[in-house]
Amino acid sequence: MRGTTKRRALIAAGIVVAAGAAVLAHAVFLPGPLDFAKGTRVSLADYKGPSPTGVPKELANAALLERGAYLTAAADCQACHTAEGGTPYAGGRPFKLPFGTLYTPNITPDAETGIGRWTDADFLKAVHKGVAPGGRHLYPAFPYASYTLMTDEDVLAIKAYLFSLAPVRQANLPDTFAFPFNQRWLMAVWGAFFNPGHRFEPVADRGPEWNRGAYLVEGAAHCGECHTPRTLFQAMDTRHKFAGGQAEGWNAYNVTPDQTSGIGAWSAPEIDAYLAQGHAKGRSVASGPMREAVELSFSKLVPSDIVAIRTYLQSVPAVHTDLPAPAGPAPRDHGAAVAGAIDGKRMFEGACASCHAWSGAGVNSAEAQLTAKRAVNDPSAANVALMILKGSGPQVAGRPYMPGFAGAYSDEEIAAVANYVTARFGAVASTITARDVARLRAD
């Protein structure tokens, strides 16, 4: 009897260990960025078509600094390395993560506080491997797991452009990570599992446009870093590629070809317009980090690169998520106030209707339309609340502008109007609370 009990215990322990190993393997061994495409991947040297790397054919004769400026915009370097109101590329932008705050570094050519003393080899090692001079490991908030796909030539063109800028003397701010997250050597382990560690390999069975889009989306533009959910180890969960993620508190929505929760129902011109201009009429308006990406990156790309990005995105596997299909036109009546201590309907009347209209169709600007917008049809209402708090972002000449109301309204008031907006114009009424808004405000 004792021997039988012991055998059962050993069997149970073995099952637990095997199950744990299976879960760990599932979280660690993820598909590569282009595994979904099947086909034959070849080295760039062996690819028979036009090179998908570098600058587009429109800039084929451009000088080094012009090529570097284009690739720096494609890689969206300015957005992350610029603090609000700060000098471009001088760093200091905070990223609040679950385990502390990370501040982006100064990447101007200042010799003391920036990267002015970095060699070509130093820069390549940082961008491809996430290791700064002196062996200091970088956190993967710097998307080297995506940038590693970029060619040496393209990375060094970016370095040449950055080194052409005026140096800015601005010391880097210390991170606030607590133990064990402040142990940077752990990033070497992370990189061993989750950094592909090789340059882009075209798929010979796909056309030049698709391969160009793949290089931009997976490498330079690093779209998956925001639009792909994360695993337990904070790696991109490529089994749910582009199914939606988060960026600085904002929901980065599903950009797979799913007809309901993704962009499968969008036309080619709508996708192109959204990328190049930040607005697809009747579909969505870029806000938060995506608005920055449009203003500082995608809007700087030539039309052929926008088409290449769209071509690639339309080819990835559709992933269905629980986001509902956008609602149709708002009802003719103005709707009842959402239950609560504060009347969200009255707030909408006083602060919102003059620009967005009671119908949600927008006044004087299609960008002010609320109906059919993904954020308004997101039951979490996170992006709606953030838009009310922060507004549409920096004011840009010729573009509609929404101011932020963080200083004008309390958390309770912002929650009330956000819930009214989703109830009236969205598919599912949200129930965001003042506590939720307070968290978004802090982030």
Side-chain angles (χ1 to χ4, degrees):
M1 180 67 71
R2 185 177 301 169
T4 300
T5 301
K6 186 176 181 180
R7 281 196 301 274
R8 288 176 177 171
L10 288 172
I11 290 171
I15 291 172
V16 170
V17 169
V23 170
L24 181 63
H26 186 80
V28 168
F29 299 106
L30 296 164
L34 299 184
D35 284 0
F36 76 92
K38 311 301 182 183
T40 303
R41 290 204 294 274
V42 298
S43 69
L44 284 167
D46 293 330
Y47 183 59
K48 303 304 181 184
S51 176
T53 69
V55 295
K57 60 185 179 182
E58 292 88 337
L59 299 176
N61 298 319
L64 175 61
L65 292 185
E66 188 177 357
R67 288 189 282 116
Y70 187 89
L71 291 165
T72 301
D76 202 18
C77 303
Q78 182 177 337
C80 288
H81 289 277
T82 306
E84 185 175 357
T87 303
Y89 304 106
R93 179 168 181 162
F95 284 84
K96 292 189 177 182
L97 304 172
F99 26 82
T101 300
L102 174 73
Y103 294 90
T104 57
N106 182 344
I107 57 170
T108 73
D110 181 67
E112 300 300 325
T113 63
I115 60 172
R117 293 179 178 171
W118 287 29
T119 65
D120 286 356
D122 290 336
F123 197 78
L124 286 168
K125 191 172 184 179
V127 172
H128 285 156
K129 298 181 179 180
V131 181
R136 183 169 178 266
H137 288 274
L138 304 175
Y139 289 103
F142 174 59
Y144 57 84
S146 295
Y147 287 161
T148 196
L149 298 176
M150 297 178 69
T151 65
D152 289 8
E153 182 181 13
D154 286 355
V155 172
L156 293 179
I158 291 174
K159 176 178 178 285
Y161 173 72
L162 293 176
F163 271 60
S164 75
L165 303 175
V168 178
R169 189 172 182 81
Q170 179 171 297
N172 294 320
L173 298 171
D175 307 325
T176 65
F177 292 173
F179 184 86
F181 304 107
N182 61 353
Q183 302 298 299
R184 286 179 174 267
W185 64 269
L186 291 171
M187 297 304 99
V189 179
W190 189 93
F193 285 111
F194 304 120
N195 182 359
H198 62 77
R199 308 298 80 80
F200 180 77
E201 296 174 333
V203 177
D205 312 72
R206 301 277 185 159
E209 189 174 76
W210 184 94
N211 277 294
R212 174 63 176 174
Y215 182 70
L216 291 171
V217 169
E218 300 291 355
H222 57 279
C223 303
E225 299 281 352
C226 291
H227 288 279
T228 297
R230 296 282 172 172
T231 69
L232 174 66
F233 297 107
Q234 294 302 300
M236 287 182 284
D237 182 0
T238 48
R239 293 188 181 89
H240 300 91
K241 187 179 185 69
F242 301 142
Q246 280 203 331
E248 299 180 85
W250 296 78
N251 288 331
Y253 293 117
N254 185 339
V255 290
T256 74
D258 182 71
Q259 291 286 318
T260 302
S261 56
I263 58 173
W266 292 34
S267 68
E270 287 171 341
I271 298 173
D272 294 350
Y274 182 78
L275 290 170
Q277 303 161 23
H279 175 228
K281 187 176 181 180
R283 294 292 186 184
S284 190
V285 174
S287 54
M290 188 62 197
R291 183 181 175 95
E292 282 187 308
V294 170
E295 297 293 345
L296 299 175
S297 180
F298 292 119
S299 65
K300 311 297 184 185
L301 303 185
V302 300
S304 65
D305 273 351
I306 294 294
V307 171
I309 289 171
R310 182 247 302 159
T311 298
Y312 179 74
L313 289 176
Q314 289 178 315
S315 78
V316 303
V319 180
H320 183 72
T321 63
D322 58 2
L323 284 174
R332 291 179 63 87
D333 65 83
H334 296 168
V338 177
I342 296 174
D343 189 342
K345 177 182 178 181
R346 186 175 296 277
M347 288 191 62
F348 183 87
E349 179 182 26
C352 311
S354 60
C355 287
H356 296 288
W358 278 110
S359 65
V363 177
N364 299 325
S365 171
E367 292 194 35
Q369 178 183 339
L370 294 175
T371 53
K373 299 297 174 63
R374 173 52 69 198
V376 175
N377 288 274
D378 175 359
S380 78
N383 287 15
V384 172
L386 281 165
M387 276 290 286
I388 299 169
L389 282 167
K390 300 185 178 185
S392 58
Q395 195 162 2
V396 178
R399 293 291 306 279
Y401 171 71
M402 174 177 166
F405 293 92
Y409 296 113
S410 69
D411 297 335
E412 291 82 2
E413 289 171 324
I414 289 173
V417 73
N419 287 331
Y420 176 76
V421 165
T422 61
R424 174 160 171 72
F425 303 110
V428 179
S430 63
T431 56
I432 193 169
T433 66
R435 180 177 295 181
D436 297 328
V437 174
R439 176 180 56 78
L440 293 171
R441 187 190 293 267
D443 287 344

